Amino acid sequence: MIYVVIVFLWTSILLYILLGGADFGAGIIELFTSKANRAKTRKTMYNAIGPIWEANHMWLIIAVVILFVGFPKIYTTISIYLHIPLVCMLLGIIARGTAFVFRNYDAVKDEMQRVYTPIFVYSSLITPFFLGIIAASSVSGKIDPAAADFLSAYVYSWLNWFSISVGIFTVSICGFLATIFIIGQTTDVQNRAHFVRKAKRTIFVVMFCGALVFVAAYLDKIPLIEWIFGGWPGIIAITAASVSLVVMFIALNQERQIFIRLLAGFQVTMILFAATYTHFPNIVLMKGNANLSLLTHQGQFKAIESLGYALLIGSIFILPALFYLIYIFQKKGQDESPH
Amino acid sequence: MDDFLAARLQMAFSLGFHIIFACIGMVMPFFMSVAHFYWLRTKKEVYKDVTKAWSRGVAIFFATGAVSGTVLSFELGLLWPKFMEHAGPIFGMPFSLEGTAFFIEAIALGFYLYGWGKLNAWFHWITGVVVGVSGLLSGILVVAANSWMNSPSGFDFVDGQYLNIDPIKAMFNDAWFTQALHMCVAAFVSTGFAVAGVHALMILRGNNLEFHNKAFRIAAIFATVAACLQPLSGDLSAKDVAVRQPAKLAAMEAHFHTEKMAPLIIGGIPDTLNKRVDYAIKIPGALSFMATGDFNKEVKGLDQIPKNEQPPIAVTHYAFQIMVGLGMMMVALSLLYFFVLWKKRHWLWKNWLLKLFVFATPLGFIALEAGWTVTEVGRQPWIIHGVMRTADAVTPMPGIAYSFYLFTGVYVSLAVIVTVLLYRQIKYLRS
């Protein structure tokens, strides 16, 4: 049952990156859209994510619940040493969720829209940035359980080149997912061509940010190259992702929407896999080679068992409903907002 | 401000903020579904208008509730890691199930808000009902976690170790039923009176009378029925607390001295130094009767509870008095309303009745916050009753005061914005 739980944990994180990430990306790409194109980008995007954004962000809660129920020591270690980036992430989540709904549901469309929009857009950037920092910090080996002062314990655990670069990389991935997603949301040919161009540009941004991560890892003396390319699974994953990138460029030109989305999902899955496989079963790496493993730090047997059953039974209800939700609102295409 | 107090206050404010939106999210979908049902059956446009207006409110409150709930799931670890390290696996079942229920609610809400005209009419209606049912369910489930803190079960605490964990036993703990019942009814009372009050105000202003009358009626029925059920539920809770957490009962009632024929104290100012309550109305024997069903039974007083196991008496007592006092006021208004519906229908449009409902608008929510203060402060010094002290659970990270100020600022801003949005919704309805 522990492996069932671990699979659910990894999958929740992946689904959060894919679905929540595309969601965050909706706000991010607005920052990088010229004023002329902003309105149509916004309209297309928000109509698309409107029905599903609440559900998209649930995967984060599922992941957190799995952690504190199944692996409490890991949850509490991260909660203590990464307190500050967690708080920043939470502030981003609050700002984003509320700004998105407020802008849609405010009865009066006036200058308040000029308040909601920047809050939405910047929090869409801040949240995945700190998520990336948290993820990177858990494996960077900079968490120091023997730290003697505030800075070493609560700041340098996450404030380093590697974590920051992963934060930036995460933001770029979110932008990338959104640009791919938006292509299928518009029937207007000119808009679609514009979004395709944008997607291609974003792919280069992602690759550049990815390269930055390796540079930062080198600066922080983190053996990232070894982690990712040190084993066959990693090499295969990255190769597959790279090959699929080429396929994607071709597919983009041919406007095969579902296929490009699957490709994007595949690439992100490969990246997450390559980033995590080498450490398994360790999920938190701390200074002085102290590691927290998913297998040795699990909760007691009965807790894991009931968690596993709860997840399995829950999925039976949730997954079909979620797919149906996504399917129904994709089929209906562009719709006016529910006023 | 010291870190421990800051952590407690931050958690209290986060919970206090979240509960308002959670209640609305739990209850308004039912109001919405009733109005929606009337529309589908009678085809009267006014019911569709009420449904849509209410669903816009639901969307705003739901999103705010959802993000504040996300914050709470992290704050459990950010503020109380020593607690979560041990409690997480034990009381995780209700959280996992609550996550499922809430996920379903989010999906159903997506269908409901965006499905107008796109889904089969009755399927669309059902998604609205599902929002309410799964919301209520997730409230019931998350209360199981809180009740576990009050009546810990499902583990053996041996030499500081938590052994033989049984998550099912933990979830079905002794306090769950009474706490969940009281919370659900409270959600209907608070949301009902708040919604009814807003619509009553609009009726008084002469706006859109048919719309606001229909809306008022639906909300008021829910509110008044719930208000009359709440004292019955409260009685069950009090009897349960008398057995399981006598310190909490003693603090609630400012009951200093163990005695038979214990008096019920109404109002008054507790004097902890001299162990008495000044300026109170005392009904002899009533506390024994209400807590145990027998005038002659003994009720444990604070004198039998070691000082270091006593909760803050004044806060718990005042909060309890506020909750019961407001609860009784709402019962009185409800009984009056039933009487009017039964015998004096022409009074339904009288200004004074509507004004009473307008006055009652915030009372349910104030009682709600007071009630949560009673149960949370009354549980101190324990975070797990009789097992772990709150002081031993807090995060080692210093500077929590800053975190507290930050989150408080955020919540205050959100409260202001939501209020403004609500005001604009109502104003827009008028035109």
Side-chain angles (χ1 to χ4, degrees):
Chain A
M1 194 53 102
I2 183 68
Y3 290 105
V4 170
V5 173
I6 293 177
V7 166
F8 266 100
L9 179 63
W10 196 86
T11 313
S12 307
I13 295 175
L14 175 68
L15 283 172
Y16 187 56
I17 297 176
L18 290 176
L19 299 175
D23 220 270
F24 287 125
I28 295 170
I29 57 175
E30 198 175 311
L31 260 183
F32 298 102
T33 306
S34 64
K35 233 183 182 129
N37 294 317
R38 214 167 277 174
K40 72 174 167 218
T41 307
R42 195 182 294 165
K43 184 168 182 290
T44 316
M45 201 48 109
Y46 298 159
N47 287 338
I49 69 177
I52 51 178
W53 79 272
E54 290 264 20
N56 286 343
H57 291 274
M58 275 310 292
W59 295 108
L60 179 67
I61 313 264
I62 302 283
V64 168
V65 171
I66 295 177
L67 276 181
F68 77 64
V69 177
F71 311 96
K73 185 89 181 133
I74 294 174
Y75 170 76
T76 53
T77 306
I78 295 178
S79 301
I80 294 175
Y81 294 103
L82 300 179
H83 189 123
I84 296 176
L86 278 166
V87 168
C88 294
M89 180 198 80
L90 286 176
L91 293 173
I93 288 180
I94 295 176
R96 190 176 186 272
T98 48
F100 182 70
V101 171
F102 293 171
R103 58 176 294 152
N104 265 349
Y105 283 92
D106 193 353
V108 186
K109 304 283 183 205
D110 59 6
E111 340 77 52
M112 275 310 276
Q113 295 286 319
R114 285 199 280 178
V115 173
Y116 303 138
T117 304
I119 294 178
F120 175 71
V121 162
Y122 285 106
S123 52
S124 297
L125 190 118
I126 290 171
T127 313
F129 176 63
F130 280 101
L131 275 165
I133 287 186
I134 293 165
S137 306
S138 26
V139 298
S140 65
K142 306 279 186 220
I143 295 179
D144 189 357
D149 60 295
F150 183 87
L151 286 176
S152 316
Y154 302 108
V155 179
Y156 297 139
S157 49
W158 57 275
L159 193 65
N160 47 64
W161 296 117
F162 177 63
S163 298
I164 293 177
S165 66
V166 173
I168 296 174
F169 181 62
T170 310
V171 171
S172 69
I173 293 264
C174 293
F176 162 66
L177 288 168
T179 54
I180 295 293
F181 177 64
I182 200 176
I183 292 173
Q185 293 307 115
T186 174
T187 44
D188 179 289
V189 173
Q190 263 198 317
N191 280 348
R192 197 177 306 160
H194 166 251
F195 292 139
V196 165
R197 280 196 300 276
K198 205 167 185 69
K200 289 180 180 172
R201 285 200 292 269
T202 317
I203 292 176
F204 286 110
V205 171
V206 170
M207 297 202 310
F208 176 70
C209 293
L212 277 183
V213 172
F214 282 97
V215 170
Y218 172 73
L219 287 174
D220 276 336
K221 303 199 189 1
I222 292 171
L224 186 64
I225 297 186
E226 214 200 275
W227 286 354
I228 297 198
F229 298 105
W232 279 110
I235 297 176
I236 295 175
I238 297 296
T239 314
S242 312
V243 167
S244 72
L245 254 187
V246 177
V247 177
M248 180 178 260
F249 264 94
I250 303 171
L252 275 171
N253 290 330
Q254 294 176 358
E255 299 183 2
R256 312 178 73 193
Q257 280 128 34
I258 312 260
F259 187 54
I260 4 184
R261 287 180 182 180
L262 287 174
L263 278 178
F266 175 73
Q267 284 152 13
V268 173
T269 310
M270 289 298 105
I271 293 174
L272 184 67
F273 177 76
T276 50
Y277 86 95
T278 187
H279 302 304
F280 183 79
N282 293 321
I283 195 176
V284 177
L285 301 168
M286 302 190 286
K287 225 176 212 176
N289 275 325
N291 296 332
L292 296 178
S293 152
L294 284 169
L295 293 177
T296 55
H297 282 279
Q298 44 176 298
Q300 286 181 28
F301 173 69
K302 269 209 165 152
I304 294 287
E305 223 196 17
S306 40
L307 176 63
Y309 281 120
L311 288 168
L312 286 166
I313 297 174
S315 318
I316 296 177
F317 286 102
I318 293 174
L319 292 176
L322 188 60
F323 282 127
Y324 189 50
L325 178 73
I326 295 176
Y327 167 72
I328 281 270
F329 288 99
Q330 283 297 293
K331 214 161 79 101
K332 306 288 178 181
Q334 291 169 293
D335 312 312
E336 359 78 54
S337 18
H339 278 179
Chain B
M1 183 184 289
D2 87 311
D3 288 327
F4 179 46
L5 182 63
R8 283 176 62 194
L9 284 175
Q10 184 181 324
M11 200 70 190
F13 279 38
S14 302
L15 288 164
F17 183 80
H18 176 68
I19 197 82
I20 298 175
F21 298 93
C23 279
I24 298 174
M26 277 161 75
V27 166
M28 271 204 84
F30 287 109
F31 295 0
M32 209 170 67
S33 298
V34 168
H36 192 165
F37 178 80
Y38 280 136
W39 177 59
L40 287 176
R41 292 277 263 172
T42 68
K43 294 279 174 258
K44 288 192 182 152
E45 276 296 301
V46 65
Y47 284 120
K48 183 179 185 184
D49 294 336
V50 172
T51 310
K52 285 209 150 178
W54 275 347
S55 66
R56 280 195 290 277
V58 168
I60 293 174
F61 288 111
F62 185 89
T64 318
V67 298
S68 50
T70 308
V71 170
L72 281 169
S73 62
F74 282 93
E75 267 178 338
L76 287 170
L78 289 172
L79 298 175
W80 313 105
K82 308 245 180 86
F83 164 70
M84 287 308 282
E85 197 180 321
H86 300 292
I90 306 177
F91 74 176
M93 252 327 249
F95 276 113
S96 328
L97 295 172
E98 189 238 356
T100 308
F102 186 72
F103 208 147
I104 294 175
E105 189 183 358
I107 294 172
L109 191 66
F111 273 117
Y112 189 76
L113 293 177
Y114 289 82
W116 285 97
K118 295 185 191 80
L119 304 168
N120 166 277
W122 285 103
F123 174 74
H124 181 229
W125 177 76
I126 288 178
T127 61
V129 176
V130 171
V131 176
V133 169
S134 43
L136 212 57
L137 220 60
S138 64
I140 293 172
L141 287 163
V142 85
V143 166
N146 182 269
S147 21
W148 177 82
M149 292 161 73
N150 285 314
S151 63
S153 59
F155 66 101
D156 296 319
F157 188 55
V158 178
D159 285 333
Q161 303 256 42
Y162 296 76
L163 304 171
N164 305 325
I165 293 179
D166 185 343
I168 306 291
K169 265 220 186 74
M171 184 161 113
F172 288 90
N173 56 71
D174 288 334
W176 188 23
F177 174 70
T178 50
Q179 275 196 228
L181 179 65
H182 206 58
M183 179 65 227
C184 287
V185 179
F188 278 96
V189 174
S190 50
T191 309
F193 276 102
V195 173
V198 167
H199 290 291
L201 183 64
M202 293 299 110
I203 298 172
L204 279 172
R205 296 239 175 111
N207 304 323
N208 243 325
L209 285 176
E210 204 200 354
F211 175 93
H212 287 293
N213 269 313
K214 298 271 190 275
F216 173 80
R217 175 70 64 91
I218 296 174
I221 299 281
F222 273 106
T224 50
V225 170
C228 293
L229 291 174
Q230 192 66 317
L232 303 173
S233 158
D235 181 57
L236 289 174
S237 295
K239 291 187 159 74
D240 176 62
V241 161
V243 172
R244 277 186 312 97
Q245 286 171 291
K248 186 183 275 186
L249 184 77
M252 267 156 65
E253 304 279 4
H255 183 57
F256 286 100
H257 306 288
T258 307
E259 54 187 315
K260 302 191 192 211
M261 278 285 278
L264 184 70
I265 297 170
I266 300 178
I269 300 172
D271 178 352
T272 15
L273 218 52
N274 296 314
K275 306 210 188 321
R276 59 162 195 259
V277 187
D278 302 318
Y279 314 117
I281 303 171
K282 297 189 173 121
I283 304 179
L287 180 60
S288 286
F289 181 68
M290 290 176 81
T292 66
D294 185 344
F295 282 104
N296 286 315
K297 273 252 176 68
E298 186 180 84
V299 176
K300 208 176 200 183
L302 289 164
D303 54 351
Q304 285 212 5
I305 296 163
K307 199 89 202 320
N308 71 346
E309 285 178 25
Q310 287 183 15
I313 300 167
V315 173
T316 315
H317 181 69
Y318 287 132
F320 181 64
Q321 299 283 305
I322 291 173
M323 178 190 77
V324 175
L326 292 177
M328 288 299 136
M329 284 165 72
M330 288 186 281
V331 169
L333 178 56
S334 306
L335 292 174
L336 174 63
Y337 185 63
F338 294 148
F339 176 70
V340 167
L341 279 176
W342 181 38
K343 288 276 194 209
K344 300 263 187 202
R345 289 226 137 190
H346 55 278
W347 282 2
L348 278 175
W349 297 277
K350 291 278 184 189
N351 276 3
W352 58 264
L353 183 64
L354 291 166
K355 281 188 185 159
L356 282 176
F357 272 98
V358 173
F359 170 72
T361 310
L363 298 186
F365 278 112
I366 299 174
L368 178 82
E369 300 284 5
W372 274 103
T373 306
V374 171
T375 193
E376 292 290 278
V377 176
R379 191 190 60 236
Q380 305 303 320
W382 304 106
I383 191 169
I384 307 176
H385 176 70
V387 174
M388 185 191 281
R389 288 172 177 268
T390 318
D392 296 332
V394 74
T395 179
M397 184 171 124
I400 298 294
Y402 297 111
S403 173
F404 166 65
Y405 295 133
L406 185 59
F407 276 103
T408 305
V410 168
Y411 290 138
V412 168
S413 316
L414 277 178
V416 168
I417 297 177
V418 170
T419 311
V420 168
L421 280 179
L422 204 54
Y423 174 73
R424 280 146 74 107
Q425 285 283 351
I426 298 170
K427 211 166 76 153
Y428 163 81
L429 277 177
R430 217 186 306 166
S431 45

